Amino acid sequence: MATLSAGKRMKSAVCATEIMVIAAPDGEVDLCCGGTAMGDGESNGGAVDADHADGTAIGKRYVNEDGSLEVLCVKAGEGSLSVGGSALNVKDAKKLPKTD
């Protein structure tokens, strides 16, 4: 588990995914990618868990259910993001107002 703060960059231990924290809740967060905890270091060459292999897309924002955690994918990879066993979802884009 890690204490997250806005601007912190993290790397997956099992794939190429890299993220930057946009917003984080207080306290420690169990942020995982590919079923393995994310960290500050290099990939350890492990395998992505098949249950967490949906992948990440560069430039997409991912949020948890209550919206307290938001991360931006800065490098895509094969593993999917999760917190405490619950998958993070791609954040919907805001609709722009119509202009005439």
Side-chain angles (χ1 to χ4, degrees):
M1 287 214 221
T3 302
L4 304 179
S5 60
K8 182 172 183 160
R9 293 182 68 124
M10 301 186 79
K11 297 179 181 181
S12 172
V14 294
C15 70
T17 300
E18 293 182 24
I19 57 105
M20 182 172 65
V21 177
I22 304 298
D26 293 332
E28 292 192 342
V29 178
D30 184 22
L31 180 61
C32 297
C33 182
T36 304
M38 295 189 79
D40 299 330
E42 293 295 316
S43 170
N44 66 12
V48 174
D49 184 336
D51 293 335
H52 300 277
D54 293 332
T56 53
I58 191 167
K60 296 292 184 183
R61 291 177 182 235
Y62 293 85
V63 295
N64 62 352
E65 265 187 45
D66 65 6
S68 62
L69 175 66
E70 181 176 339
V71 299
L72 171 68
C73 179
V74 295
K75 187 173 180 185
E78 302 90 35
S80 56
L81 300 169
S82 63
V83 171
S86 298
L88 295 183
N89 300 311
V90 175
K91 183 175 182 180
D92 293 330
K94 290 182 181 178
K95 303 251 188 226
L96 296 175
K98 284 187 172 182
T99 59
D100 293 326

